Amino acid sequence: MGTVTAAVTHEGQPAAAGRPGRPLIVTEDEDLLDDLLRLCAAAGATAEVHHGVPQPRGSWEAAPLVLVGDDAARRVRGAARRRGVVLVGRDQDDSGVWKRAVEIGADHVLMLPDGEQWLVDRIADVTEGVGRPALTVGVIGGRGGAGASTLACALAVTSAREGLRTLLVDADPLGGGLDVLLGGESTEGLRWPAFAASRGRVGGGALEESLPRLHSLRVLSWDRGDRIAVPPQAVRAVLAAARRRGGTVVVDLPRRLDDGVAEVLAQLDLGILVVPAELRAVAAAGRVASAVGMVLRDLRVAVRGPYTPGLDDREVARLLGLPLMGEVPVESALQRPQGSGSPPGAAARGPLARFCKEFWERALAETGAA
């Protein structure tokens, strides 16, 4: 078929960099319009539609992306030159499309249907704006019952309380559901199975709006159904969309590693291994650290008491050969049943919340996101 998209060099004034907004579609071809609206929806965007250059021309100049149907090329010849114009057609054999692209000052020529994924990605980029990706932290237990899910929830609750856009991701389908731990299992919104068919690009804004909102943060958890796995491609697409929104993403990781978990590990900025200060727990945590460390370079240990005689937090970190994040405070939130009372970290002056706040301050400073 040949190349689907290609750049056309031209001189012109650049549009405002990174400005989110609605893409502009210019066409009278109803079939093409249906396709372009479908692709905008796939990218989580709502488009503005005109048959020619909008009058007045504010929309033409302000739109982050302009999609001009090949049928409308002649009608936009006199429009002001700007960046972010894509000429969209269907006829791969029409050599005249390049001339028309130069005449309207297009950056790219795109042919459907081959160029659909490129266009979805491009629409998502410009409508979401350009910014720093979310600081993404994974929490995993050194053994069962280590308190990793509780710490993950506390980190997310603390991040949201500090005013950061926050998403808490439950990557453990056998863990009972983080929405339960947060007391929101009946809250409306999508769960993991709804994203099982996701491929390619997922719109970050659309993802965020579709998820349950609990304690000022968004939660992606599991429903009560039978599905216990999501294809790795879907995991990759969903987590990438979450990271593009900025702020923080906290992932509660299972101790078993499969292809889906490997996709999560590949997108983490750092991991926290929660280890009770017991010799058997340290031994089990060593195996977990070895497996996780094959993918994740920055893995740190958080130690939880009470301590076995002869062990302290520094000794646990030394035995595991990992940097010490700190000692997780002993708090009633770590011991009460799931779903009872307020969520972990909800008490802003409690020891667990203070521990989490100090962690975010250090981590954000290290990554330059503070």
Side-chain angles (χ1 to χ4, degrees), residues 8 73 81 87 96-109:
V8 179
R81 295 300 176 98
L87 183 62
V97 69
W98 300 101
K99 179 181 178 181
R100 293 189 291 276
V102 172
E103 290 174 345
I104 67 172
D107 291 324
H108 289 84
V109 173

Side-chain angles (χ1 to χ4, degrees), residues 34-99:
D34 286 344
D35 282 338
L36 293 177
L37 290 174
R38 172 176 56 83
L39 297 176
C40 285
T46 302
E48 181 178 344
V49 179
H50 290 272
H51 295 317
V53 178
Q55 298 296 334
R57 297 191 178 187
S59 296
W60 174 270
E61 297 171 352
L65 184 68
V66 178
L67 307 177
V68 179
D70 195 26
D71 65 291
R74 289 180 176 83
R75 294 194 296 276
V76 301
R77 280 180 183 169
R81 295 300 176 98
R82 51 152 293 169
R83 299 287 177 87
V85 176
V86 180
L87 183 62
V88 185
R90 297 183 187 277
D91 188 354
Q92 300 276 358
D93 298 322
D94 180 10
S95 59
V97 69
W98 300 101
K99 179 181 178 181

